[in-house]
Amino acid sequence: MGRADPQAAIFYKAREMILLMNVHLNHFPRHEKYALCQEIRQAAYGVYSALVEGQKRYHNKTTLTRLDVQHEQLRMLLNLAFELGYFGFKDGQRKNSQSEALRRYTALSILVNELGAMIGGWIRSLRAANGVSAQHA
């Protein structure tokens, strides 16, 4: 199989994550609209942009390292939003039960984790192609 297939899958997963994330972010408290929501969006869009850059660069070790870091930043921002209780909001007001908030957060976390696994696989395949062991990376 060609190289495009795994990359098509990673782009699909990233778009799926961004679409769901934006639905949930639109319900966060109004006072977070230009704060944490914006940081989360920028982190997600940064991950998506780094995916494109990683696909297009011939030497992409630093690009993939930056992608990995941006992905982890996104994960930490979403964790913070959950700990602050923002997944329990609907239309800017606290309306959802804790179980609904957990369901929303879990659905998004699964996509973020799957994307992270795909990024990790891409990095490992690049290292294997370059003959770099995990100890030296």
Side-chain angles (χ1 to χ4, degrees):
M1 251 191 206
R3 181 182 150 146
D5 292 332
Q7 289 179 358
I10 200 170
F11 280 104
Y12 176 80
K13 187 63 66 179
R15 280 191 305 273
E16 186 180 9
M17 178 202 65
I18 288 170
L19 291 172
L20 181 61
M21 180 197 64
N22 274 310
V23 168
H24 294 317
L25 290 179
N26 287 336
H27 292 287
F28 274 31
R30 286 181 181 86
H31 69 273
E32 285 295 348
K33 184 175 183 180
Y34 298 107
L36 186 57
C37 282
Q38 191 62 26
E39 288 292 321
I40 292 170
R41 278 192 177 97
Q42 287 177 341
Y45 298 155
V47 167
Y48 197 72
S49 295
L51 285 170
V52 172
E53 189 175 343
Q55 179 189 36
K56 293 297 182 180
R57 287 199 183 269
Y58 180 74
H59 298 289
N60 55 10
K61 180 182 176 188
T62 56
T63 302
L64 292 179
T65 300
R66 189 175 64 248
L67 170 60
D68 194 33
V69 169
Q70 288 176 325
H71 174 264
E72 189 60 27
Q73 289 170 337
L74 174 61
R75 182 192 318 269
M76 293 297 103
L77 290 168
L78 288 170
N79 288 343
L80 178 60
F82 177 71
E83 290 172 12
L84 290 170
Y86 295 160
F87 283 93
F89 280 71
K90 182 169 179 162
D91 298 324
Q93 297 180 4
R94 188 175 304 275
K95 291 185 178 177
N96 291 321
S97 66
Q98 184 62 26
S99 63
E100 176 63 16
L102 182 60
R103 186 194 64 76
R104 287 177 169 200
Y105 170 72
T106 301
L108 191 53
S109 289
I110 288 169
L111 292 173
V112 171
N113 291 340
E114 289 173 351
L115 182 61
M118 295 170 102
I119 291 168
W122 191 2
I123 292 169
R124 281 188 300 280
S125 70
L126 178 67
R127 287 179 182 155
N130 292 331
V132 177
S133 71
Q135 294 172 349
H136 299 303

